[in-house]
Amino acid sequence: MATGHDDRSRDVGSREGSDREEAPDGEAFVEAADRELRETYEEPRTLPEFVEEAFENPTVAAHASKYLLEAIESMGTRTVIEEGEEKERYRFFDDPHNDGEHAILGNTEVLNAFVDDLRSIAAERGKAEKIIWFDGPTATGKSELKRCLVNGLREFSKTPEGRRYTVEWNIASATQSRSLSYGEERAAADEENWFPSPVQANPLTVFPEAVREDILDRINEGVDDHIDLKVDGSLDPFSREAYDYLEEQYRRTGEDDLFSAITDPNHLRVKNYVVDVGKGIGVLHSEDSGPPKERLVGSWMRGMLQELDSRGRKNPQAFSYDGVLSQGNGLLTVVEDAAQHADLLQKLLNVPDEKTVKLDKGIQMDIDTQLLIISNPDLEAQLNQHADAGGADPLKALKRRLDRRRFKYLTNLSLEAELIRRELTNETDVWKADSYDELENLIREPLSVRVRKDDHGAGVSQRELAPHAVEAAALYSVVTRLDGEDVPAGLDLVDKAKLFDRGYLLDGDDRLDKDDFDFDDDADDGDQGVPVTYTRDVIADLLNEESDRAHADYPVEEVIMPRDILNAMAEGLTGAPVFSTAERTEYENRLVPVKNHIFQRQEEDVLDAMMRDKRVDEETVEEYIEHVYAWATDETVENDRGERVEPDALKMKVFETEHLGRFSPESYGPDHGPSPAVEEFRRNKVITALNRHAWENRDEDFSVSDIDPKEIPIIKTVLANYDWDDVRRVYEDFDPNQWADPPGNTETAAVKDETIANMVELFGYTEASAELTSQHVMSQVSYKWD
């Protein structure tokens, strides 16, 4: 996966020509850091050089919303399935530059809508006056959004395509009577006399408006995304003070080329900067305090006003510029936990469309920033406190300016399983799979966690979350979040969760797609439910508890089973203040179908492990398909090997009775001829499915190649799922009642040994978790075996 930057750490500590591997030394890491900084930062350039660069790469001069949009789009997209539908997701939100540490899981539609908003704002097609508002319950990924934006913009600004620039000034060479050095006089050649714009001013704002428009027209000729660059407004007050001073000095000397003198490289240069919080990104945290103007733009520094000769006026050089809009000028302004700063929101009303704020009554500053606020549902309650007042609602204007995007709890099993693993470990990789089978394996995977042995921290111990344990926690969490009002007859909430995750259900021989069901688009899916923080804490408590289980051969006290987690999650609802009484009752009622599903998954593992060596090989499947096709078309068929195949009634009968287990020998007549039921099965379930599969997998020229017969739904369903009748048929002397301690030299003992070994090899079980899982499954099977 491309991440927009090279992996430059791979050769740290290596030595060319070395015959043996050496331990990395400190000097090698310092050299690697030097390379990183050399490729991140550039030498300052002149204003004309910057303009030439902008002609070649318009992004370097882009206005805030366009730059943010290009940073997001620079990573491309990938296809995901959420709520049972394929969606294109921007890789930027996977936090690829940070190895996925702050990836936003799910909520792809919300993020796509956010990008659409940016596109409209950047192109000035509307919404320019809007403040984008992300809200939703706690633990839904809103804080990850902020971190992901900071990480992504920082790393994009380090790339050649995403360089960000501002201006810095030196007026010491113009006169020794005053400088921008806050009252201290220094030599013009001294680097300490250079002072950058404190609000990341776009270098193009130095040009007079008419000239700037000509430059932008030229730049926009090379823009191919139909979103022109817009650089409005004037220089920031700090830079304007320097500009005006230089203009005054050179006007006095009678300089003809006044602009050239002011922007001479001795006075003005363009420098690149790496975007970060405080430099292009302003973040107002919940704990930040102070008067509104101080939080928004900054404050006057009284001591500096006294030092600077301002002739009776306030000098913009004596302003702190540490407010959130000042820090975020040029790119992004984020108000975090906006309910704590509700008083500021009305002050921000005119910023998006007027793009200006005031330092003081006589000093205003033009702002180019994308405003974004983040809040929990408590902000909505504050905004609606005067809702009954109708037209007299004092907050009506504010509410009209807010463009709301709501984050919800995850309703995809795979995403929730991924999130739970992230919460419990240091795993940061974003799951990507070519098929749902691959994703299903990730969901099933066990998890090994190191914990302390005792309260004094003496030693550590490995504890295992058995296969399906994380899946059980994730499924129960998702099921509590789903709206049960629109569940179709014959299905339950677990079925709805499966539809939302994979997009389809397999019902016997039939595949039922999500589109086959009429789910309510306005359902409350994801609005409420068990948050991941609750699930994480329950599992963490289990990991740190001493287990009273014991076994003669396995350290099973170190294994946490799926049912342990489900029971603990249900039992903990009563004491958790985050849930109301009604919610506790509702969530407890949703536990049983989850337990049943997880048991079914464990049962499938045990059956697959028991029947591993009894699986039909691919050649046998292909041969059966060839014979059925020849039978249905009443003619010979040429196979992949160039051989002519005539339908063989006996081979088809053997496959259908022994491998598929669909029919008994009594379903066939003399010479193994098929009964009407067998004929219907072959035509409707095999041939029709084969034709559908071929059509769905056709190439652009309508040709079909490399069809895997095992991918045909009926074949896949039957061959991938064994039942206990298959076990009884294959192992005639097997007795599940003896599983816990089978007598030696019995078929049950041999089957158990083989099954445990296969569970370890196939599904990632340890011997301990395989023992516990198989015992649990056999205890249920033994009830109905006899």
Side-chain angles (χ1 to χ4, degrees):
M1 178 182 65
T3 59
H5 66 284
D6 295 331
D7 181 10
R8 304 186 184 97
S9 63
R10 61 183 179 273
D11 59 348
V12 169
S14 64
R15 294 289 184 272
E16 292 186 7
S18 175
D19 294 329
R20 62 186 179 85
E21 186 175 344
E22 298 180 2
D25 55 36
E27 182 180 348
F29 287 103
V30 172
E31 291 174 359
D34 285 337
R35 286 196 304 273
E36 180 75 19
L37 292 180
R38 278 199 303 269
E39 296 174 15
T40 298
Y41 294 98
E42 300 174 347
E43 289 295 320
R45 59 182 62 192
T46 65
L47 190 61
E49 288 172 340
F50 171 77
V51 174
E52 292 297 326
E53 173 70 13
F55 290 155
E56 296 296 324
N57 178 18
T59 300
V60 301
H63 53 291
S65 53
K66 179 176 173 63
Y67 184 89
L68 178 54
L69 176 66
E70 291 187 357
I72 293 172
E73 292 181 333
S74 69
M75 300 304 303
T77 62
R78 65 184 179 93
T79 303
V80 298
I81 293 180
E82 288 181 26
E83 296 187 350
E85 298 176 2
E86 280 194 0
K87 300 172 183 178
E88 288 300 310
R89 176 182 176 84
Y90 290 96
R91 295 179 185 272
F92 180 93
F93 299 114
D94 294 338
D95 195 18
H97 291 297
N98 205 39
D99 297 327
E101 180 178 356
H102 298 298
I104 307 161
L105 302 184
N107 284 297
T108 293
E109 280 192 358
V110 178
L111 296 171
N112 287 348
F114 168 50
V115 177
D116 290 340
D117 288 343
L118 291 177
R119 191 170 290 109
S120 296
I121 293 169
E124 295 188 342
R125 290 194 294 263
K127 294 197 173 186
E129 79 286 357
K130 294 289 188 179
I131 300 173
I132 298 177
W133 172 25
F134 284 96
D135 87 320
T138 57
T140 51
K142 302 186 301 299
S143 294
E144 297 303 300
L145 170 64
K146 179 204 70 176
R147 298 185 182 99
C148 186
L149 287 169
V150 172
N151 288 339
L153 292 171
R154 181 197 301 119
E155 297 303 322
F156 183 61
S157 71
K158 293 179 181 179
T159 65
E161 301 79 19
R163 292 277 197 256
R164 209 64 174 144
Y165 296 90
T166 188
V167 293
E168 56 181 355
W169 300 88
N170 184 340
I171 66 170
S173 58
T175 178
Q176 292 297 318
S177 63
R178 98 185 214 208
S179 71
L180 293 181
S181 59
Y182 296 131
E184 300 177 21
E185 296 182 2
R186 297 183 175 93
D190 196 331
E191 278 293 316
E192 295 183 5
N193 282 309
W194 286 99
F195 294 91
S197 162
V199 292
Q200 307 78 233
N202 189 317
L204 293 184
T205 58
V206 176
F207 288 95
E209 186 174 352
V211 178
R212 188 196 316 157
E213 289 301 319
D214 290 341
I215 294 173
L216 289 172
D217 288 343
R218 167 74 181 276
I219 292 175
N220 288 328
E221 290 177 1
V223 172
D224 56 6
D225 62 358
H226 309 293
I227 300 179
D228 290 345
L229 266 66
K230 304 287 183 182
V231 181
D232 301 318
S234 304
L235 272 175
D236 64 277
F238 184 97
S239 299
R240 173 55 61 182
E241 184 75 12
Y243 185 101
D244 289 347
Y245 174 74
L246 291 168
E247 181 181 20
E248 179 183 350
Q249 297 301 312
Y250 285 110
R251 191 183 298 278
R252 286 178 179 176
T253 64
E255 179 65 50
D256 291 333
D257 298 325
L258 200 56
F259 186 79
S260 295
I262 295 170
T263 60
D264 184 272
N266 287 321
H267 299 312
L268 172 71
R269 62 191 187 188
V270 178
K271 61 173 289 186
N272 81 302
Y273 64 95
V274 174
V275 170
D276 210 334
V277 176
K279 290 183 178 181
I281 302 177
V283 179
L284 189 62
H285 303 281
S286 59
E287 66 272 15
D288 293 338
S289 60
K293 183 168 290 187
E294 180 179 328
R295 282 177 282 164
L296 287 176
V297 288
S299 58
W300 292 104
M301 299 181 286
R302 300 300 173 186
M304 302 309 301
L305 283 172
Q306 295 172 4
E307 284 189 37
L308 294 172
D309 176 18
S310 302
R311 296 191 292 276
R313 64 179 178 82
K314 288 184 176 179
N315 192 325
Q317 299 167 31
F319 198 76
S320 68
Y321 297 98
D322 58 2
V324 66
L325 290 175
S326 300
Q327 295 181 31
N329 186 50
L331 191 46
L332 178 67
T333 296
V334 180
V335 179
E336 195 176 35
D337 197 4
Q340 302 297 322
H341 298 286
D343 60 322
L344 286 187
L345 298 185
Q346 288 186 291
K347 304 287 185 182
L348 291 171
L349 278 182
N350 297 324
V351 171
D353 50 353
E354 295 183 5
K355 297 184 178 180
T356 184
V357 293
K358 286 188 174 182
L359 310 186
D360 205 69
K361 293 180 180 179
I363 306 175
Q364 74 174 27
M365 179 170 66
D366 292 329
I367 292 291
D368 177 27
T369 190
Q370 180 57 55
L371 276 170
L372 189 155
I373 68 172
I374 298 173
S375 78
N376 291 326
D378 47 359
L379 176 60
E380 182 180 11
Q382 292 187 45
L383 294 175
N384 290 332
Q385 59 183 309
H386 305 293
D388 294 338
D393 184 352
L395 299 176
K396 191 172 184 179
L398 172 59
K399 289 189 284 188
R400 188 173 63 249
R401 294 294 183 96
L402 295 175
D403 192 10
R404 184 180 185 184
R405 299 298 175 193
R406 183 170 177 78
F407 269 32
K408 294 186 176 184
Y409 289 124
L410 298 177
T411 54
N412 276 58
L413 169 61
S414 54
L415 289 173
E416 186 67 14
E418 182 178 0
L419 181 58
I420 290 172
R421 294 181 72 98
R422 282 170 166 260
E423 290 287 326
L424 293 170
T425 69
N426 293 322
E427 293 181 12
T428 59
D429 289 342
V430 176
W431 288 1
K432 298 180 179 68
D434 295 328
S435 67
Y436 192 80
D437 287 343
E438 291 182 28
L439 202 56
E440 203 165 36
N441 289 332
L442 293 172
I443 297 169
R444 169 204 280 130
E445 278 188 356
L447 182 63
S448 181
V449 182
R450 297 180 67 189
V451 296
R452 295 186 310 176
K453 285 187 176 179
D454 56 46
D455 293 337
H456 303 291
V460 294
S461 174
Q462 289 290 129
R463 301 206 69 181
E464 176 195 2
L465 298 180
H468 303 295
V470 172
E471 177 183 2
L475 180 60
Y476 185 46
S477 299
V478 167
V479 163
T480 65
R481 301 168 185 170
L482 296 177
D483 190 334
E485 297 297 324
D486 62 347
V487 177
L491 302 185
D492 59 18
L493 284 169
V494 170
D495 293 321
K496 183 175 180 179
K498 291 160 65 177
L499 279 169
F500 273 23
D501 198 41
R502 67 168 63 187
Y504 64 90
L505 292 175
L506 294 177
D507 182 18
D509 302 336
D510 298 321
R511 170 174 166 146
L512 306 176
D513 292 314
K514 188 196 172 202
D515 293 340
D516 297 334
F517 303 97
D518 187 20
F519 288 107
D520 187 357
D521 293 335
D522 297 323
D524 295 330
D525 299 313
D527 286 343
Q528 299 179 19
V530 170
V532 69
T533 48
Y534 172 80
T535 305
R536 175 202 63 201
D537 292 346
V538 168
I539 297 176
D541 288 343
L542 286 173
L543 287 169
N544 289 297
E545 287 178 359
E546 290 295 330
S547 174
D548 58 2
R549 292 193 298 265
H551 189 275
D553 299 316
Y554 305 111
V556 294
E557 70 276 3
E558 301 297 334
V559 179
I560 296 174
M561 298 295 289
R563 60 185 180 274
D564 298 330
I565 293 178
L566 292 176
N567 289 336
M569 289 181 70
E571 292 167 2
L573 294 172
T574 302
V578 70
F579 305 119
S580 67
T581 302
E583 286 175 327
R584 293 184 189 112
T585 302
E586 180 63 30
Y587 300 160
E588 287 171 353
N589 292 336
R590 299 186 179 192
L591 180 64
V592 172
V594 175
K595 281 189 171 182
N596 291 340
H597 174 76
I598 296 300
F599 174 79
Q600 180 182 345
R601 297 275 284 143
Q602 293 173 310
E603 186 179 34
E604 290 170 357
D605 285 355
V606 173
L607 280 167
D608 284 348
M610 293 180 73
M611 301 292 289
R612 179 184 186 182
D613 295 335
K614 310 302 178 184
R615 294 175 184 271
V616 61
D617 59 84
E618 188 169 339
E619 290 75 13
T620 302
V621 178
E622 291 177 351
E623 184 181 48
Y624 170 71
I625 296 294
E626 292 166 358
H627 284 282
V628 171
Y629 204 84
W631 167 84
T633 57
D634 199 23
E635 59 184 31
T636 61
V637 175
E638 184 175 336
N639 61 23
D640 293 339
R641 300 177 296 279
E643 302 168 344
R644 304 303 299 182
V645 177
E646 294 186 2
D648 188 314
L650 178 58
K651 287 185 177 180
M652 288 185 283
K653 174 183 176 180
V654 169
F655 190 91
E656 290 160 351
T657 55
E658 294 188 5
H659 296 309
L660 295 184
R662 299 287 301 190
F663 304 100
S664 65
E666 287 74 24
S667 298
Y668 301 81
D671 299 323
H672 317 297
S675 66
V678 175
E679 289 185 356
E680 181 183 4
F681 168 78
R682 292 177 183 174
R683 296 186 188 281
N684 294 339
K685 298 301 182 181
V686 179
I687 298 300
T688 300
L690 179 65
N691 291 336
R692 183 189 302 118
H693 185 70
W695 174 256
E696 292 174 349
N697 290 274
R698 68 192 185 282
D699 296 330
E700 292 182 359
D701 59 356
F702 289 89
S703 63
V704 181
S705 60
D706 298 329
I707 293 181
D708 183 359
K710 287 188 176 181
E711 290 300 314
I712 299 173
I714 177 58
I715 302 297
K716 183 176 182 179
T717 301
V718 175
L719 295 185
N721 295 282
Y722 298 99
D723 59 27
W724 296 106
D725 287 337
D726 296 322
V727 174
R728 191 190 301 271
R729 174 169 50 84
V730 173
Y731 302 110
E732 296 181 357
D733 297 326
F734 173 73
D735 184 359
N737 294 285
Q738 298 178 344
W739 187 271
D741 189 17
N745 300 319
T746 62
E747 186 174 46
T748 302
V751 170
K752 179 176 180 178
D753 289 343
E754 185 177 351
T755 300
I756 296 295
N758 287 338
M759 291 175 70
V760 172
E761 181 180 347
L762 292 174
F763 306 127
Y765 284 85
T766 61
E767 290 190 3
S769 59
E771 174 71 29
L772 288 172
T773 300
S774 61
Q775 282 191 25
H776 177 55
V777 169
M778 291 302 173
S779 68
Q780 303 300 311
V781 172
S782 61
Y783 290 142
K784 52 187 178 182
W785 187 259
D786 295 336

